[in-house]
Amino acid sequence: MEFKDYYKILGVSEDADAKAIKTAYRKLARKYHPDVSSEHEAEERFKEVTEAYEVLKDPDKRAEYDEVKRYGQGGQFRPPPGWEASGGFSGDGGFQQGDFSDFFESIFGGRGGGFRQESRAYRSRGQDIETQLPIFLEDTLSEEQKTIEFELPDIDERGRQVYKRKSLKVRIPAGVRDGERIRLKGQGAPGFGGGEKGDLYLVIRLVPHPLFDVEGHNLIITVPLAPWEAALGTKLTLPTLDGSIRLSVPPNSQAGQRLRIKGRGLPTRAGRADLFALLKVVMPDHMDDNQRKHWQELSQSSSFDPRQEWSKS
């Protein structure tokens, strides 16, 4: 069985922290998203980086993966004697059978059993199918239908299990959240003996955005400010999901302060949530002698003590 080096897939070191892993995943998920990528085998690469992130973002899965990683030498994975799949993955993360590799299934267990249609003399209902629907944050603002493709299990004329690819147009309902399951009745696997079809469950996966973090239905954007901009106030152009706006930063703004922009967040069933500008004061990478002189003059003339609270303790 081919060994999957999840650290190499995400391009991070084995001691990378959660933030570095998330950052790497955001970049690659955006790059290989099937809707926009022109990369070769983008869909497979998207699944591969998502599988790697599914493991490395979870401390328990990551620890178990690290434990068996030493058996993946030479590009092949051979479980150690007495190894049994943990079964720790229940399959409720939004992946249909086939989205995870055999290597992943061998470590964390799968749904178990797969699709099986027994030959019976009576009708039986078709299997429910669950698949991911990755969407950009910008897609939540659009009312246009989105084409998705997924595989349906079936039985051929010889009684063998096969998978047939199906396309379907869906409209993203307002107010969806990451991980939410949407049921499409009768769009699952066909029934046996004329039985009714199963249902299709779409699991919403919001593709990480390079600028915005999601907090419920609100969006957070980090706004870097020069020290003098925070002190004196400034006006700047702020990107949003649907165009840029002018933002006024008041004088004496503090790092970590949030400025609320009403109605520029994600859609909800009652309207739009809000966008919050998170202020971050950053220093220049380099100062010349003249600039350094100004800072020294300010330091000597100011009575401001940023640590005055320490003297009260």
Side-chain angles (χ1 to χ4, degrees):
M1 181 187 306
E2 180 186 359
F3 175 75
K4 297 278 188 179
D5 190 331
Y6 292 140
Y7 294 102
K8 184 176 181 180
I9 289 172
L10 290 183
V12 297
S13 63
E14 294 185 11
D15 59 353
D17 59 18
K19 182 179 180 180
I21 290 171
K22 183 178 181 180
T23 299
Y25 169 66
R26 282 186 169 194
K27 179 180 178 181
L28 292 174
R30 192 86 178 175
K31 177 180 180 180
Y32 292 112
H33 189 282
D35 283 356
V36 297
S37 178
S38 59
E39 298 282 341
H40 180 59
E41 297 181 345
E43 182 176 357
E44 291 304 314
R45 292 287 288 123
F46 182 83
K47 288 182 179 180
E48 190 174 47
V49 299
T50 302
E51 176 179 313
Y53 182 61
E54 176 72 23
V55 173
L56 299 185
K57 74 174 182 178
D58 184 301
D60 293 334
K61 287 194 183 81
R62 183 176 180 179
E64 192 165 357
Y65 170 75
D66 289 342
E67 183 180 347
V68 301
K69 188 176 185 295
R70 56 196 177 113
Y71 294 97
Q73 305 301 322
Q76 296 293 315
F77 173 68
R78 296 178 178 83
W83 171 262
E84 294 181 358
S86 69
F89 178 71
S90 63
D92 58 1
F95 290 79
Q96 72 179 75
Q97 185 175 350
D99 278 349
F100 284 118
S101 66
D102 291 340
F103 171 70
F104 181 99
E105 300 288 342
S106 72
I107 299 179
F108 302 105
R111 296 182 179 280
F115 176 83
R116 181 177 61 196
Q117 188 80 316
E118 298 180 357
S119 178
R120 298 178 178 174
Y122 55 85
R123 296 180 179 181
S124 62
R125 183 179 180 277
Q127 181 188 8
D128 291 338
I129 302 298
E130 188 174 280
T131 188
Q132 281 201 331
L133 178 56
I135 58 176
F136 291 123
L137 298 185
E138 293 86 348
D139 291 340
T140 63
L141 306 182
S142 174
E143 295 184 357
E144 295 182 1
Q145 290 185 323
K146 184 179 180 68
T147 301
I148 63 171
E149 292 188 350
F150 55 99
E151 291 185 340
L152 286 179
D154 202 354
I155 298 296
D156 65 12
E157 63 278 1
R158 296 186 179 182
R160 298 175 301 184
Q161 177 180 319
V162 296
Y163 284 90
K164 296 182 178 179
R165 201 157 188 83
K166 181 178 180 180
S167 295
L168 188 66
K169 287 189 175 182
V170 298
R171 181 173 283 106
I172 309 302
V176 293
R177 291 173 177 261
D178 185 63
E180 183 175 344
R181 297 170 81 240
I182 299 175
R183 178 192 178 204
L184 300 180
K185 183 175 175 59
Q187 296 295 337
F192 179 75
E196 67 175 330
K197 293 182 178 180
D199 298 331
L200 173 65
Y201 288 89
L202 301 179
V203 180
I204 301 297
R205 291 300 180 196
L206 298 179
V207 177
H209 196 281
L211 295 179
F212 304 104
D213 287 315
V214 179
E215 191 176 85
H217 286 109
N218 294 324
L219 295 177
I220 313 295
I221 182 171
T222 299
V223 180
L225 295 175
W228 48 90
E229 290 179 319
L232 303 175
T234 188
K235 291 186 178 181
L236 52 86
T237 300
L238 185 76
T240 74
L241 286 183
D242 48 351
S244 298
I245 62 172
R246 293 293 288 174
L247 177 68
S248 294
V249 179
N252 298 320
S253 292
Q254 301 293 319
Q257 182 178 345
R258 289 188 178 194
L259 303 181
R260 179 189 180 197
I261 299 94
K262 189 175 180 181
R264 289 285 185 161
L266 297 178
T268 70
R269 291 172 176 84
R272 289 276 296 274
D274 300 328
L275 169 64
F276 288 89
L278 177 64
L279 304 185
K280 177 183 179 182
V281 178
V282 295
M283 292 293 297
D285 293 332
H286 174 75
M287 289 188 293
D288 58 29
D289 292 341
N290 187 49
Q291 292 169 334
R292 190 181 304 277
K293 179 181 178 181
H294 285 304
W295 282 110
Q296 289 173 341
E297 291 175 350
L298 177 62
S299 173
Q300 294 170 359
S301 63
S302 175
S303 61
F304 173 62
D305 181 4
R307 293 171 293 281
Q308 61 180 343
E309 292 295 326
W310 289 4
S311 61
K312 297 179 181 180
S313 59

